[in-house]
């Protein structure tokens, strides 16, 4: 009876150790398929083939482009809630920057119009002054 329980405890320890070794990166690295073509064990942790291509931001991204970004799925992928939170923050930041840029462009356009009005007024003043100076 004692021998059977000793054997079961020993077997449990060996199984726990083997599971821990295989579950860690060390064990996976030892048992991973070798590049030379001599596989010990194929652990299945190779990079997965993406089912859909990723959709990334274009060069001239707009706030609505962030809503369409999609990442490829992988075995050790990112947490989608964190990615969504970051993308929401990025969309809001881009929208804020676009709003600031639009207001600055409107301010510059107003100043350009004012400069053009002042130039026209100066031309009229110079023309009227030269017309008065002529005999």
């Amino acid at each position: 009876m004692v021998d059977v329980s000793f054997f079961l405890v020993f077997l449990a320890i060996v199984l726990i150790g083997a599971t821990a070794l295989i579950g860690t990166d060390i064990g996976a690295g030892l048992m991973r398929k070798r590049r030379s073509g001599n596989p010990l064990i194929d652990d299945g942790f190779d990079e997965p083939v993406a089912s859909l291509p990723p959709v990334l931001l274009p060069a001239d991204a707009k706030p609505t482009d962030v809503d369409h970004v999609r990442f490829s799925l992988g075995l050790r992928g990112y947490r989608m809630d964190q990615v969504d939170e970051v993308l929401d923050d990025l969309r809001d930041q881009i929208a804020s920057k676009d709003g600031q840029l639009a207001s600055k462009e409107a301010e510059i356009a107003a100043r350009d119009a004012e400069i053009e009005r002042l130039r026209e007024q100066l031309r009229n003043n110079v023309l009227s002054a030269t017309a008065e100076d002529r005999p």
Side-chain angles (χ1 to χ4, degrees), residues 6-100:
F6 176 74
F7 175 73
L8 290 176
V9 169
F10 177 74
L11 182 63
I13 290 172
V14 168
L15 289 175
I16 290 171
T19 303
L21 181 65
I22 291 172
T24 62
D25 286 338
I26 296 169
L30 290 174
M31 306 236 232
R32 189 176 310 269
K33 184 172 30 172
R34 305 283 188 240
R35 296 210 185 265
S36 65
N38 182 14
L40 292 176
I41 294 178
D42 185 7
D43 63 1
F45 289 121
D46 292 336
E47 286 297 319
V49 177
S51 58
L52 294 174
V55 178
L56 302 177
L57 286 175
D60 56 343
K62 295 178 181 64
T64 55
D65 290 333
V66 176
D67 291 330
H68 301 346
V69 171
R70 297 291 176 257
F71 297 100
S72 294
L73 297 177
L75 181 64
R76 298 178 188 154
Y78 299 103
R79 288 185 44 191
M80 293 182 74
D81 59 332
Q82 292 175 347
V83 172
D84 289 341
E85 182 180 342
V86 169
L87 290 176
D88 290 343
D89 289 345
L90 179 61
R91 183 195 57 228
D92 295 343
Q93 290 176 16
I94 290 173
S96 172
K97 302 267 185 217
D98 281 351
Q100 290 173 357

Side-chain angles (χ1 to χ4, degrees), residues 114-125 127:
E114 180 67 18
I115 289 171
E116 191 58 39
R117 186 188 63 79
L118 290 173
R119 282 184 181 157
E120 189 63 34
Q121 186 180 6
L122 181 62
R123 279 189 203 116
N124 291 339
N125 289 343
L127 289 175

